[in-house]
Amino acid sequence: MNYEEFTSVSVLDEAYRKTRRGKRGKRAEAIFESRETARLIALSNYLRSGKYEPAALDQFMIYEPKPRVINAPSFRDKIVQRALTDEVVYPALAPSIPYNAFAAQTGKGQHYGLDLLEKHMRTYFLRRKAADETIRKKAGLPYRPMEEWDYARGWVVKGDVRKCFPSTDHEKLKAVVFPKLPGPEFCYLLEKYIDQVDGLALGHQTSHICAVFYLSKALHYINQDLHCPMSGMYMDDWYAIVETKEQAVELLEKAREKFRELGYELNQKTGIYPLQNGIDFCGFHLYLTKSGRVIRKLRQSSKKRMKRRIRRWERDFKEGKVTRREIEDRFQAWNAHAKHGDTRVLRQQLRERVDKIFKEARNEQKNQHPGGGKPFEAERKRAAEEADLPPV
């Protein structure tokens, strides 16, 4: 796609319709929608003029799962970023991202990463088992009985980048991203978003795919140069599975140097652990059992956070600060994530606690209105009897 096609009203209109999903109740979207055709034409002309400048960012904090500063663009700039990402940046960068990088890509994500990690753990187990059986067969020995299996023994290198987005070096990022783009106009436009803040803005759609592509340089190095295909990365969180502690120490040292070349530093959560301790990744803790089975347990912080929310809902629902629909939507979002692990009993317990909130509210309402569960139902019945009319 050339720049003329990219700035056409049809491309921007498609991006606009994707951008407004879930935002039609917000003021900025309503203002744009009130004259959407005229504003899209004006935006097209603005981009073609070569004088386009992004508006000032709206900065705010989020606190879950941890405190972060979000720099959100204006609604107009979100449309441009959506078009730029979908039509230009993603098609240019995605083919060069390795299969075991899971973030910011169509058809991938947290749960894809969990499935691949489970596959890596099973593959590690089965390869060790097959190698041991081959050796024993050549030596004329019987297969090892299950109670003596030690194929789940190994070592895990677990890494995390310190302040990944804020510490991204602009010049190094541009040097690897810009040659992939189809023209200088797109480089100029993407540069406007990259240079808006120090590092990368967390609220920009372009930031995520650029960061994944840039970080994948380290993952390529681990996969190919260090010969460790049983590895994976979700954004700046990565793992690698090896057989011995010596291999793990060597891999971590070389990987640390590679990240340093990219301008990053690994934080204090980075370390080497026995595989028997499990791997904490993408919201779950995965364990490889002695028999080769992989167990997924939900991360403790996720359990505590949901229990804390339910306690808050118990109070706020009685006071009318939160609706049943809001509670159901938030609980179902958590439940959809939690069901990817071995969490059936936990989800049943928390479902019962949520249902209890609504049940207690109905009982309280019936106590307040003895004639039924609806307000004023008793009064309507009494009035109908006094008028000698059938109750409505």
Side-chain angles (χ1 to χ4, degrees), residues 142-316:
Y143 291 144
R144 193 189 300 270
M146 184 180 290
E147 56 271 14
E148 296 179 9
W149 285 3
D150 61 352
Y151 309 127
R153 290 185 180 178
W155 293 86
V156 178
V157 180
K158 188 69 170 51
D160 199 352
V161 176
R162 184 188 304 277
K163 296 184 178 179
C164 174
F165 274 53
S167 63
T168 300
D169 186 287
H170 288 190
E171 298 309 314
K172 290 182 178 181
L173 177 67
K174 294 174 190 176
V176 297
V177 171
F178 284 2
K180 295 281 186 179
L181 301 185
E185 301 93 344
F186 298 113
C187 298
Y188 170 81
L189 192 57
L190 183 58
E191 186 175 34
K192 291 288 183 183
Y193 296 125
I194 292 175
D195 290 340
Q196 267 197 295
V197 297
D198 293 334
L200 290 174
L202 266 172
H204 284 179
Q205 187 178 0
T206 53
S207 297
H208 297 273
I209 186 62
C210 288
V212 170
F213 172 75
Y214 187 50
L215 284 164
S216 71
K217 300 295 180 184
L219 190 56
H220 272 301
Y221 177 73
I222 293 170
N223 289 344
Q224 299 172 10
D225 295 7
L226 301 184
H227 309 290
C228 184
M230 282 183 283
S231 58
M233 178 181 287
Y234 185 81
M235 250 10 268
D236 58 345
D237 193 10
W238 60 277
Y239 69 86
I241 303 173
V242 295
E243 282 202 38
T244 67
K245 188 173 183 179
E246 291 73 20
Q247 290 175 323
V249 171
E250 182 182 2
L251 188 147
L252 179 56
E253 185 179 337
K254 291 182 177 179
R256 198 185 293 275
E257 182 59 34
K258 184 63 178 180
F259 278 104
R260 195 174 293 117
E261 287 177 17
L262 297 174
Y264 296 119
E265 181 184 355
L266 298 180
N267 64 20
Q268 72 281 357
K269 291 189 286 186
T270 300
I272 297 170
Y273 310 96
L275 182 57
Q276 295 93 317
N277 290 2
I279 302 176
D280 192 335
F281 192 66
C282 288
F284 288 83
H285 206 110
L286 279 71
Y287 297 89
L288 180 61
T289 67
K290 189 175 181 179
S291 64
R293 182 187 170 207
V294 177
I295 298 174
R296 297 186 189 182
K297 291 188 176 181
L298 191 65
R299 189 179 284 168
Q300 286 295 328
S301 59
S302 179
K303 296 179 188 178
K304 291 179 180 178
R305 189 159 53 244
M306 179 47 61
K307 291 176 180 178
R308 189 164 57 244
R309 285 178 182 173
I310 291 175
R311 288 196 296 270
R312 186 168 65 246
W313 292 340
E314 290 170 346
R315 180 184 66 249
D316 290 350

Side-chain angles (χ1 to χ4, degrees), residues 24-234:
R24 300 192 75 175
K26 295 188 177 181
R27 184 172 181 271
E29 197 286 328
I31 292 172
F32 195 98
E33 188 173 3
S34 64
R35 295 180 58 207
E36 64 180 60
T37 303
R39 294 182 192 279
L40 287 171
I41 293 172
L43 181 57
S44 174
N45 293 333
Y46 190 22
L47 288 168
R48 290 178 177 180
S49 70
K51 299 178 182 178
Y52 172 81
E53 291 290 338
L57 298 172
D58 179 21
Q59 187 177 101
F60 58 93
M61 288 288 296
I62 61 170
Y63 296 94
E64 288 188 4
K66 64 181 180 181
R68 288 191 179 99
V69 177
I70 303 296
N71 293 287
S74 67
F75 187 76
R76 178 204 68 182
D77 294 334
K78 287 180 181 178
I79 296 172
V80 179
Q81 286 190 33
R82 183 78 192 216
L84 182 63
T85 303
D86 289 358
E87 304 295 339
V88 179
V89 178
Y90 184 84
L93 302 185
S96 300
I97 299 173
Y99 77 100
N100 52 342
F102 315 126
Q105 298 165 79
T106 304
K108 293 187 179 181
Q110 281 186 314
H111 303 132
Y112 174 90
L114 282 170
D115 292 340
L116 192 56
L117 171 56
E118 181 173 334
K119 182 179 178 181
H120 284 159
M121 295 173 82
R122 287 280 296 154
T123 300
Y124 175 84
F125 179 92
L126 293 173
R127 283 182 180 176
R128 291 198 72 208
K129 182 174 181 291
D132 180 62
E133 289 177 350
T134 301
I135 293 171
R136 293 177 70 88
K137 186 176 181 180
K138 287 181 180 179
L141 298 174
Y143 291 144
R144 193 189 300 270
M146 184 180 290
E147 56 271 14
E148 296 179 9
W149 285 3
D150 61 352
Y151 309 127
R153 290 185 180 178
W155 293 86
V156 178
V157 180
K158 188 69 170 51
D160 199 352
V161 176
R162 184 188 304 277
K163 296 184 178 179
C164 174
F165 274 53
S167 63
T168 300
D169 186 287
H170 288 190
E171 298 309 314
K172 290 182 178 181
L173 177 67
K174 294 174 190 176
V176 297
V177 171
F178 284 2
K180 295 281 186 179
L181 301 185
E185 301 93 344
F186 298 113
C187 298
Y188 170 81
L189 192 57
L190 183 58
E191 186 175 34
K192 291 288 183 183
Y193 296 125
I194 292 175
D195 290 340
Q196 267 197 295
V197 297
D198 293 334
L200 290 174
L202 266 172
H204 284 179
Q205 187 178 0
T206 53
S207 297
H208 297 273
I209 186 62
C210 288
V212 170
F213 172 75
Y214 187 50
L215 284 164
S216 71
K217 300 295 180 184
L219 190 56
H220 272 301
Y221 177 73
I222 293 170
N223 289 344
Q224 299 172 10
D225 295 7
L226 301 184
H227 309 290
C228 184
M230 282 183 283
S231 58
M233 178 181 287
Y234 185 81

